[in-house]
Amino acid sequence: MKQGQFEQLYQPLWHVLELEIIELEKNDGRLKGSELASFASRYRRLCHFHALAKDRHYSSHLVDKLGDLVVRGHQQLYRRKQPFMQQLISFIVAGFPHLVREQQRYIWWATAFMYVPGLLIYLAILWQPDLVYTITAPEQVSSFEAMYDPQNRTLGSARESDTNVQMFGFYISNNISVAFRTFASGILFGVGSIFFLVYNGLLMGAVAGHLTNAEFTQTFFTFVIGHGSFELTAICIAGAAGLKLGYALLAPGNLSRKESLKRAGHIAIQLVYGVIIMLVIAAFIEAFWSSNNILMPWQKYLVGGFLWALVLGYLVFSGRGLRGERGKQ
């Protein structure tokens, strides 16, 4: 079935549900027992329409619109039944990874914008070491050398435990600041998010390349491998949320730019909620595990590899029981 026929046949059905959702959101209404069954029935059909639109590769505008309605309908259907902690756990266990997969097109683009420049500058600096100074100032280079020099480390057991707590707070503040800039700058038609993704990738690659040349690889890579799985993935997702905002402005389709941005923002902000949770976990690992210099390198690499597998497995497999994905299985 062509998209035009699909919309002509089924749009009246999801339009009724959309109006009902808008009314519930506007008046903060509560679904009564008699209304719940009919709303749930229409919502299940909406999930089916969304799965069909994705499976048949209809336009991204239609898929995103139906996806937005699925998320908003889910909130109206279940928010009254669950206490806050249960909603939070449900979001972490299923809702967030499901949403990441829904927006994987933006995730892949964000990942490419960060990792490809990072890999290229890393290889370039291995070949031409002085290129590091085109990315970072000499003072910053010296600071990184001092931080990861095996002879001058002040990490791990050399610090007092209360300093670990202070660094935990610092890492949370710093990482969330980076992620928020990467996300919020997407309002500049996506250009801002691309800039911060590329910049962070270049900085990461430049530091890794320079420290590899300085033969500080063991201290550097054993430090970053643990928390990097959560931190770097979270920054990519934040960038993807920003790219979604930018695309909504560049290609609003039949909607006004304001309405298109509103709908994209509703999904993007949920991605950011998940990003914040990931960055808190990353900060905890960085402060209390990554900085520990008592453990053997192979132990850190083993745990780091496990954490990368955990993050990727979580985003790929967790939450696949949601209705929106059942139609694909």
Side-chain angles (χ1 to χ4, degrees):
M1 182 184 296
K2 294 184 178 180
Q3 180 174 329
Q5 296 173 307
F6 179 82
E7 291 187 81
Q8 185 177 10
L9 186 61
Y10 297 120
Q11 188 174 26
L13 298 175
W14 72 65
H15 183 64
V16 170
L17 184 62
E18 181 179 17
L19 293 177
E20 193 168 359
I21 291 172
I22 292 173
E23 192 65 26
L24 288 168
E25 291 173 338
K26 185 188 303 182
N27 299 323
D28 195 29
R30 183 186 299 271
L31 287 168
K32 299 177 182 177
S34 58
E35 301 170 332
L36 185 60
S38 60
F39 184 89
S41 176
R42 287 192 293 273
Y43 176 74
R44 284 192 293 271
R45 296 199 68 184
L46 173 67
C47 292
H48 179 63
F49 296 150
H50 182 225
L52 285 176
K54 290 182 63 180
D55 187 59
R56 295 172 179 175
H57 303 289
Y58 290 154
S59 70
S60 59
H61 169 70
L62 178 61
V63 172
D64 286 348
K65 178 181 179 180
L66 293 177
D68 176 57
L69 287 176
V70 167
V71 172
R72 291 162 63 192
H74 184 273
Q75 290 178 335
Q76 295 302 322
L77 189 60
Y78 293 105
R79 67 174 181 167
R80 308 295 179 177
K81 295 182 174 182
Q82 298 177 331
F84 172 76
M85 283 307 299
Q86 191 172 345
Q87 291 184 48
L88 179 62
I89 293 172
S90 176
F91 175 74
I92 294 173
V93 172
F96 176 62
H98 172 78
L99 193 60
V100 167
R101 291 191 296 273
E102 288 279 332
Q103 306 302 319
Q104 62 178 291
R105 176 179 59 168
Y106 300 102
I107 303 292
W108 284 118
W109 274 110
T111 301
F113 281 130
M114 190 167 83
Y115 280 95
V116 171
L119 178 60
L120 291 177
I121 197 66
Y122 173 77
L123 296 174
I125 289 173
L126 291 183
W127 172 66
Q128 187 66 41
D130 288 343
L131 284 174
V132 68
Y133 298 108
T134 64
I135 305 298
T136 59
E139 300 79 22
Q140 287 180 300
V141 174
S142 298
S143 175
F144 285 122
E145 289 176 353
M147 185 183 301
Y148 295 105
D149 188 338
Q151 303 301 319
N152 298 306
R153 294 180 67 203
T154 57
L155 302 176
S157 62
R159 299 190 301 172
E160 299 297 332
S161 60
D162 61 338
T163 304
N164 288 338
V165 174
Q166 291 172 2
M167 291 306 295
F168 174 53
F170 169 77
Y171 291 142
I172 289 177
S173 175
N174 181 71
N175 293 346
I176 290 179
S177 175
V178 171
F180 184 77
R181 286 197 300 268
T182 306
F183 158 64
S185 59
I187 199 72
L188 301 174
F189 296 93
V191 175
S193 293
I194 294 173
F195 170 80
F196 282 111
L197 287 166
V198 172
Y199 173 76
N200 283 305
L202 289 173
L203 181 61
M204 176 179 63
V207 172
H210 179 73
L211 294 178
T212 298
N213 285 334
E215 299 184 350
F216 295 166
T217 53
Q218 183 169 292
T219 52
F220 174 69
F221 287 109
T222 57
F223 179 79
V224 301
I225 191 172
H227 62 272
S229 55
F230 286 91
E231 182 179 325
L232 298 179
T233 305
I235 291 174
C236 286
I237 295 174
L243 292 178
K244 185 169 184 65
L245 295 182
Y247 187 77
L249 290 172
L250 287 171
N254 296 325
L255 303 174
S256 66
R257 280 194 166 84
K258 180 179 178 181
E259 181 62 24
S260 178
L261 181 62
K262 179 181 176 182
R263 294 185 179 187
H266 184 80
I267 296 174
I269 198 65
Q270 293 181 74
L271 289 173
V272 173
Y273 291 153
V275 164
I276 292 172
I277 295 170
M278 292 184 71
L279 290 177
V280 170
I281 297 172
F284 181 85
I285 296 172
E286 188 171 3
F288 295 99
W289 169 266
S290 299
S291 58
N292 191 313
N293 59 7
I294 297 177
L295 298 168
M296 298 295 291
W298 68 266
Q299 294 173 311
K300 285 199 165 186
Y301 286 129
L302 182 63
V303 172
F306 168 76
L307 291 174
W308 272 102
L310 178 66
V311 170
L312 295 177
Y314 162 70
L315 294 177
V316 171
F317 298 109
S318 189
R320 284 198 175 271
L322 292 183
R323 290 189 182 94
E325 286 187 316
R326 285 177 182 167
K328 297 166 59 179
Q329 298 175 346

